[in-house]
Amino acid sequence: MKTIRLLAKFLIVFSFLGLSSCASIPEGARAVSPFKKNSYLGKWYEIARLDFRFERGLDNTTAEYSIHKDGSIKVVNRGYNSQKDKWSEAIGKAKFAGDENVAMLKVSFFGPFYAGYNVIAIDSDYKYALVAGSSLNYLWILSRKTSIPQATKDQYLKIAKDLGYKTSDLIWVKHD
């Protein structure tokens, strides 16, 4: 009986710590504010990313955002794996970590497990965005088109590098 109680307490503490850290942002980074949620909705092309398991080997990657009836954001990520000659798709949900005027969100593709999603730079027309995860292991450069102007690319790379990201590790996504 003691073991069950100890295990239950451990699971509660672990869950609390895990869920509370899901909405974090790398040290020194600031989420965009004011943020216009409705302007961010729609389709984005992934221009560059730090590689991670769920997107490994994918090109032609996109993210599409729309509103659920409950006010949360539906996230549809797609990419093409040329080695396997097939498309991959993941559907998730994003919620604001706090105020909807601050681009600090948490996103989940696996039930109750959320990860940080922070828009840390965006142009005034919402055409280009720099998105940080909860740590320096996650970074994306997004565009409404399959390319990005060199000046914007340079600006976003400088922001990322100044925060401590290893920008030389970015994968530049092929769109064809």
Side-chain angles (χ1 to χ4, degrees):
M1 191 66 135
K2 232 180 194 179
T3 305
I4 293 173
R5 283 189 195 147
L6 183 60
L7 181 59
K9 287 179 182 179
F10 174 76
L11 288 174
I12 289 169
V13 170
F14 179 75
S15 296
F16 174 75
L17 291 174
L19 292 175
S20 67
S21 68
C22 68
S24 59
I25 188 169
E27 186 177 336
R30 298 231 186 275
V32 169
S33 182
F35 181 70
K36 297 181 268 181
K37 174 177 75 173
N38 289 331
S39 296
Y40 196 77
L41 300 176
K43 188 173 190 174
W44 290 88
Y45 293 90
E46 191 176 86
I47 302 302
R49 70 170 177 269
L50 288 177
D51 200 21
F52 68 102
R53 183 170 50 131
F54 298 113
E55 287 190 286
R56 191 153 292 132
L58 298 182
D59 280 311
N60 297 296
T61 47
T62 60
E64 192 152 357
Y65 305 98
S66 60
I67 298 291
H68 279 291
K69 288 180 183 178
D70 68 0
S72 65
I73 299 171
K74 179 180 180 181
V75 182
V76 179
N77 288 347
R78 295 189 81 224
Y80 184 74
N81 186 322
S82 58
Q83 298 283 2
K84 296 180 180 179
D85 192 28
K86 76 179 217 179
W87 286 93
S88 289
E89 183 175 273
I91 298 174
K93 177 189 256 189
K95 299 177 181 182
F96 283 89
D99 187 338
E100 284 194 13
N101 291 315
V102 180
M104 191 173 185
L105 298 99
K106 53 187 182 177
V107 65
S108 175
F109 292 94
F110 308 104
F113 304 103
Y114 283 85
Y117 181 98
N118 308 286
V119 181
I120 59 172
I122 197 160
D123 69 300
S124 60
D125 295 324
Y126 282 64
K127 290 182 182 178
Y128 314 107
L130 179 63
V131 178
S134 58
S135 73
L136 297 177
N137 295 321
Y138 304 99
L139 184 73
W140 297 267
I141 297 175
L142 305 177
S143 173
R144 296 292 187 173
K145 297 182 178 182
T146 58
S147 62
I148 191 167
Q150 188 64 45
T152 304
K153 176 182 170 182
D154 292 343
Q155 176 190 9
Y156 287 1
L157 289 173
K158 181 177 180 350
I159 292 168
K161 193 171 188 173
D162 289 349
L163 289 171
Y165 282 96
K166 193 171 177 187
T167 57
S168 60
D169 287 349
L170 282 169
I171 292 173
W172 297 91
V173 179
K174 181 176 73 173
H175 289 277
D176 53 15

